[in-house]
Amino acid sequence: MERHEIEVFLALAEELHFRRTSERLGLAQGRVSQTIKKLERRIGVPLFERTSRRVALTPTGRQLREDLLPVQQQLLRAVDRAVAMGRGITGELRIGYSSPMVAEILLTAADAFRDRYPDCAVEIHEVQLSDPFGPIRSGRVDLQVTEQPVDEPDLTVGPAVLIEPRVLMVPAGHPFAHRASVSLEDLAETTLIAMSGDVPQHWLDHHYPRRTPRGTPIAHGQTATYWTELMNLVGLGRGVSPASQDAERYHARPDVAWVPFRDAPTVDYSFLWPTTSENARIRAFVDMVRGL
């Protein structure tokens, strides 16, 4: 059997409809019918039962479908592998993330990526917010997904992976804890706990502002180096801190309440890679995630 005959037969075996099969394959309906008739003449028995109302596989057709599916999958893998090698999608790709929500997306994409490009190993690593660009600049990761904004001349910002509403983490006994929502102006009534470390000032100013939109000062208290440390400080009543909404699924605890902002910008997680190191592996993985 030729490859196009396998494709037509398996598509019709799945669709059980000549018009849908022709649309799916981009072929004329008559071409689909001719291919099936030619195949049936070669085999010597009908593969499909056809009436004016339905198309169904015969027992021989069902057996042929079961035998051909693994062959088609092997052919597709062989072609994908050859294309991958030709494009340089081999070797190793190390990807960093800074939030568990993003980790879920990357792990799912990594499984699909390994299936499509078996000659390229994928590793997923956590990147600490206290040193968001250290791993990618040192080469410990080749690609990462990071909270925006990023304004670094040596790094390229790619497409967004996840966009989350922003919330405010407050101590369970705080006056804000039972509100339906808070405003950025409400931050003037709090003490803000921020991250510290090798973090760009523009990033800190965006996530942990020192003034409200109207210009009212916002008090800053202790800083934290790690996320768990920041949450401990909030839980102990030392202040409040912003977060993405879905983080509560992973970090919920009885001493911290999560209150939605009604006017804050979203938390946007985007791809990031060294401008001088972009390659086929990076482009292929970014395309994989966008496709998923």
Side-chain angles (χ1 to χ4, degrees):
M1 289 180 67
E2 298 181 12
R3 180 177 175 182
H4 81 277
E5 293 176 323
I6 295 175
E7 290 177 348
V8 170
F9 170 76
L10 289 177
L12 182 58
E14 182 178 343
E15 298 289 348
L16 296 177
H17 195 285
F18 279 88
R19 179 179 56 78
R20 289 199 298 267
T21 300
S22 67
E23 291 173 352
R24 172 173 164 178
L25 297 177
L27 299 174
Q29 191 168 325
R31 177 74 181 278
V32 173
S33 181
Q34 290 170 7
T35 301
I36 296 300
K37 288 178 180 177
K38 179 180 177 183
L39 194 55
E40 289 176 325
R41 285 196 299 269
R42 185 184 310 162
I43 293 173
V45 295
L47 300 174
F48 295 91
E49 297 175 354
R50 308 164 179 83
T51 69
S52 59
R53 295 185 177 182
R54 65 190 290 268
V55 176
L57 283 163
T58 64
T60 301
R62 285 195 295 272
Q63 185 60 57
L64 184 61
R65 180 191 60 189
E66 297 304 313
D67 291 340
L68 287 180
L69 277 173
V71 174
Q72 185 192 46
Q73 292 166 359
Q74 186 174 358
L75 284 171
L76 292 175
R77 283 196 297 268
V79 171
D80 285 344
R81 192 166 188 170
V83 170
M85 293 183 70
R87 293 172 58 191
I89 308 174
T90 59
E92 184 178 67
L93 182 63
R94 296 158 298 180
I95 306 168
Y97 68 91
S98 58
S99 75
M101 299 84 71
V102 169
E104 281 189 12
I105 296 171
L106 294 180
L107 289 167
T108 299
D111 289 339
F113 191 83
R114 294 186 191 99
D115 288 341
R116 182 174 298 179
Y117 306 111
D119 292 316
C120 185
V122 181
E123 296 180 0
I124 309 295
H125 302 279
E126 184 176 5
V127 173
Q128 297 296 330
L129 286 174
S130 56
D131 186 19
F133 308 131
I136 201 162
R137 283 180 169 141
S138 68
R140 296 199 299 276
V141 298
D142 310 297
L143 174 69
Q144 72 182 58
V145 178
T146 295
E147 292 88 343
Q148 295 299 304
V150 174
D151 185 16
E152 304 292 315
D154 59 328
L155 301 175
T156 294
V157 177
V161 174
L162 181 66
I163 297 175
E164 280 280 304
R166 193 178 299 262
V167 300
L168 187 65
M169 296 188 300
V170 304
H174 194 278
F176 292 173
H178 301 292
R179 288 191 183 183
S181 66
V182 292
S183 165
L184 288 171
E185 292 299 325
D186 292 329
L187 293 177
E189 303 173 27
T190 68
T191 298
L192 202 59
I193 299 172
M195 295 297 299
S196 62
D198 190 8
V199 188
Q201 191 60 48
H202 73 270
W203 192 93
L204 289 171
D205 291 342
H206 179 82
H207 292 281
Y208 308 102
R210 293 191 172 272
R211 291 185 177 274
T212 70
R214 294 178 183 172
T216 308
I218 301 171
H220 278 231
Q222 239 175 303
T223 60
T225 304
Y226 300 102
W227 179 256
T228 52
E229 181 184 357
L230 185 148
M231 292 202 65
N232 287 336
L233 290 171
V234 173
L236 289 170
R238 305 292 174 80
V240 303
S241 193
S244 59
Q245 177 179 277
D246 208 31
E248 185 178 4
R249 283 201 296 128
Y250 304 89
H251 303 293
R253 45 192 285 175
D255 56 351
V256 175
W258 304 67
V259 187
F261 275 105
R262 58 180 177 269
D263 58 356
T266 55
V267 183
D268 299 356
Y269 301 85
S270 299
F271 275 116
L272 190 72
W273 60 84
T275 300
T276 59
S277 301
E278 182 177 349
N279 56 47
R281 291 188 297 273
I282 289 173
R283 291 191 295 271
F285 191 86
V286 170
D287 288 343
M288 173 73 73
V289 172
R290 295 180 70 184
L292 292 176

